[in-house]
Amino acid sequence: MTRWTLAALAATFALPACALFSTPNPVKTKPFGVRKDGAPATLWTLRNGNVEATVTDHGATLVSLICPDRLGQGADVLLGFDDVSGYESTGNQYFGCTTGRVCNRIKKGRFTLDGYDYQLAVNNGENHLHGGGPRSLDKVRWHGEATTSDGAPAVLFIYRSADGEEGYPGNLEIKVVYSMPRVGELKIDYTAVTDRTTPVNLTNHAYINLAGEGAPTILDHELQLFASRHTPTDDTLIPTGAIADVARTPLDFRDPTRIGLRLEQLTSTPALGYDHNYVLDRDGKPGLVDAAVLYCPTSGRELRIATTEPAIQFYSGNFLNGQQGKASKSYPLRSGLCLETQHYPDSVNQPRFPSVLLRRGEVFRSTTVLRLSAR
Ligand code: GLA
């Protein structure tokens, strides 16, 4: 039966057409330019109902997420670039990438494991950030292929990071699967295995603007975080080891709150705005828990994030500098925000934080689900 016949049937029986169109479409591919090393980049498109996501093998990156507003008008809610050359340019601040091997910061790039001292790249003041230098996960080319995940169309990316790459121990094989199991739902599943104990902390670094990428600010968005505590940091954004309540601070997002309401109180702190790790209120619950709800009053779009991770970094785009993104649109300060599900920063040096160590014979697993709707 063709789509048109289905639509006609839906009209005849007065069924909402979306009820019939909720079956996911097959994955499509197209070229996404050529990397500096001469390798081609590919773009995969996943679609389910009226929501569409694209992903590329460069950095196993989430490139776009197109979803309707309350009037049914679609817009891409992720900052990014038109092809891989943008992702390899200096304007790219980890847009939509898979981030690691260890996302966020490691103090002075140092840690000790099984009696060996490791020194990683120092690429953020005196600290290590987002997996380091030229071979961090956001910069390498992953193997990509269309697949299915629990019956839903999906894209699988695989990368084998060699022992010693970016200074990390162990041969690490990482898989990232993007799938759209339901209308409006994008699921990201991460797995990894190693042949030697090594720290692993993976996230996606998508910059979101629910009014549509290129809209000037996210300060009008309302954010709710299911987190009563955060990990305070020193002047270089390394956790002190303490875990503090968000109550009575500008970090309190336990109830939906406009991001711009108290941001000014943070602009002269070392974080320059929101750039904080929130400890999720898991109450001992394993598996997926709600982490965040982001709402854009002008468009009516809402994003709900659930994760298996213990924490979420809320970053309010404090380093965006007007770089040119998709269709030459500019991305000024705070025109996008990141909600990065992850383990706490510098966990490898903080024995009281949940461990990020993966051992030989274990399987690292992490899932984050983004649910989009409009009201
Ligand atoms: C993370 C960090 C920020 C910043 C961005 C990238 O979210 O926490 O401080 O480095 O990445 O610009």
Side-chain angles (χ1 to χ4, degrees):
M1 201 179 312
T2 67
R3 284 184 141 237
W4 298 116
T5 329
L6 279 171
L9 271 176
T12 312
F13 296 105
L15 285 172
C18 62
L20 291 173
F21 289 146
S22 63
T23 24
N25 292 12
V27 178
K28 294 189 181 130
T29 64
K30 64 178 185 188
F32 197 51
V34 177
R35 285 165 42 104
K36 284 181 186 152
D37 65 5
T42 300
L43 192 73
W44 283 259
T45 303
L46 286 162
R47 197 182 166 82
N48 194 335
N50 45 17
V51 176
E52 183 185 284
T54 65
V55 292
T56 184
D57 44 7
H58 175 82
T61 297
L62 178 58
V63 171
S64 68
L65 200 47
I66 300 172
C67 56
D69 64 8
R70 64 163 76 87
L71 302 174
Q73 190 67 39
D76 181 356
V77 298
L78 298 189
L79 278 59
F81 300 96
D82 292 326
D83 62 23
V84 74
S85 63
Y87 286 90
E88 287 193 303
S89 72
T90 52
N92 184 12
Q93 296 171 339
Y94 302 93
F95 286 9
C97 68
T98 295
T99 319
R101 294 185 184 195
V102 173
C103 64
N104 216 315
R105 293 171 177 79
I106 294 177
K107 186 176 183 172
K108 298 188 174 166
R110 284 186 206 145
F111 61 93
T112 302
L113 205 55
D114 297 335
Y116 289 95
D117 295 332
Y118 291 90
Q119 177 66 63
L120 310 175
V122 163
N123 58 335
N124 185 248
E126 60 183 34
N127 300 320
H128 176 83
L129 177 71
H130 293 335
R135 305 285 305 167
S136 55
L137 298 183
D138 55 295
K139 298 183 190 71
V140 297
R141 183 169 181 257
W142 295 56
H143 165 80
E145 62 186 51
T147 179
T148 54
S149 169
D150 292 331
V155 180
L156 161 69
F157 292 115
I158 303 178
Y159 181 66
R160 293 187 182 93
S161 178
D163 184 21
E165 191 166 70
E166 285 299 339
Y168 289 99
N171 290 294
L172 185 71
E173 181 181 275
I174 312 146
K175 293 184 182 167
V176 181
V177 177
Y178 290 95
S179 63
M180 294 189 83
R182 273 179 276 276
V183 177
E185 195 172 300
L186 178 74
K187 186 152 80 89
I188 314 176
D189 289 303
Y190 305 85
T191 51
V193 288
T194 183
D195 58 3
R196 195 165 149 206
T197 305
T198 193
V200 181
N201 193 4
L202 303 176
T203 192
N204 182 282
H205 207 294
Y207 285 70
I208 303 155
N209 187 324
L210 293 180
E213 54 82 33
T217 188
I218 47 79
L219 293 179
D220 62 345
H221 286 33
E222 290 162 18
L223 177 65
Q224 181 174 20
L225 294 173
F226 297 89
S228 321
R229 294 171 305 155
H230 72 110
T231 51
T233 55
D234 68 13
D235 288 354
T236 71
L237 304 191
I238 293 291
T240 59
I243 299 199
D245 289 340
V246 296
R248 294 174 297 280
T249 76
L251 303 186
D252 189 352
F253 284 94
R254 289 174 298 168
D255 293 319
T257 306
R258 196 165 49 81
I259 291 170
L261 187 68
R262 297 162 306 187
L263 187 134
E264 284 305 316
Q265 298 177 43
L266 299 170
T267 48
S268 46
T269 66
L272 307 173
Y274 290 103
D275 198 351
H276 295 80
N277 174 64
Y278 286 79
V279 176
L280 294 173
D281 293 333
R282 283 200 156 267
D283 301 325
K285 254 185 273 153
L288 281 172
V289 292
D290 287 332
V293 181
L294 183 68
Y295 177 66
C296 167
T298 54
S299 67
R301 290 193 188 91
E302 182 184 86
L303 169 68
R304 302 183 77 91
I305 301 180
T307 187
T308 58
E309 286 297 312
I312 189 165
Q313 179 91 5
F314 167 36
Y315 168 60
S316 56
N318 313 325
F319 298 112
L320 289 172
N321 56 18
Q323 58 262 71
Q324 269 193 6
K326 293 170 183 169
S328 299
K329 274 173 268 182
S330 99
Y331 296 146
L333 183 72
R334 303 195 221 295
S335 61
L337 65 89
C338 304
L339 291 164
E340 309 157 43
T341 54
Q342 58 191 255
H343 274 58
Y344 313 172
D346 199 33
S347 291
V348 73
N349 291 310
Q350 291 284 355
R352 285 166 56 217
F353 287 178
S355 172
V356 291
L357 295 184
L358 179 70
R359 294 182 172 79
R360 186 191 173 98
E362 293 175 346
V363 180
F364 169 94
R365 286 181 206 281
S366 173
T367 296
T368 291
V369 180
L370 311 182
R371 289 191 187 100
L372 287 149
S373 58
R375 58 181 157 99

